Amino acid sequence: QVQLAESGGGLAQAGGSLRLSCIVSGGTLRSPHMGWFRQALGQEREFVAAISWSGVPNYADSAKGRFTITRDNAKNTAYLQMNSLKPEDTAVYYCNADSRKTVVAGSDPGPYWGQGTQVTVSS
């Protein structure tokens, strides 16, 4: 059974930074493409960033220039470095993974999700 586990969320001040991690374990998911989505209270889930198995990133406009997605395939882990945080970045951040490369586009997430990690940015 494929499992995704996020970590690294917490409280930050506006302008600050946080680094999220997502580790994939279990199951038979090979060479997963991975993404980050977020859902603010009362709003729909939205795409943040994704990265292909080979390391090609894609970002939502809201993340460009502030967030960086990377991965370490040897550790089955993806990271989301978030800088210049804004109060509107406050949300639960979810990791997503799939063998289909369409997950990188952000519009077609895969079936595997983590439990989410809360990010709160104070003004």
Side-chain angles (χ1 to χ4, degrees):
Q1 180 177 351
V2 176
Q3 293 184 322
L4 278 64
E6 302 102 334
S7 62
L11 177 65
Q13 291 187 336
S17 299
L18 286 173
R19 188 194 194 205
L20 306 184
S21 300
C22 173
I23 185 167
V24 181
S25 63
T28 58
L29 184 61
R30 296 288 183 258
S31 305
H33 307 292
M34 300 179 69
W36 289 94
F37 293 74
R38 68 187 183 186
Q39 187 167 20
L41 191 63
Q43 299 191 19
E44 294 186 354
R45 181 185 62 202
E46 64 176 3
F47 169 70
V48 178
I51 188 167
S52 70
W53 172 255
S54 61
V56 177
N58 182 38
Y59 298 96
D61 288 344
S62 59
K64 288 179 181 177
R66 300 187 301 125
F67 295 1
T68 302
I69 187 169
T70 57
R71 65 187 299 157
D72 184 338
N73 291 339
K75 297 181 179 180
N76 295 323
T77 302
Y79 306 95
L80 185 67
Q81 177 68 43
M82 304 186 294
N83 299 328
S84 302
L85 283 163
K86 304 175 181 179
E88 49 263 45
D89 294 320
T90 296
V92 178
Y93 283 70
Y94 296 92
C95 182
N96 180 261
D98 197 5
S99 56
R100 300 172 301 142
K101 199 171 182 178
T102 53
V103 70
V104 182
S107 59
D108 188 15
Y112 305 108
W113 294 92
Q115 80 286 355
T117 185
Q118 177 70 47
V119 171
T120 302
V121 184
S122 62
S123 58

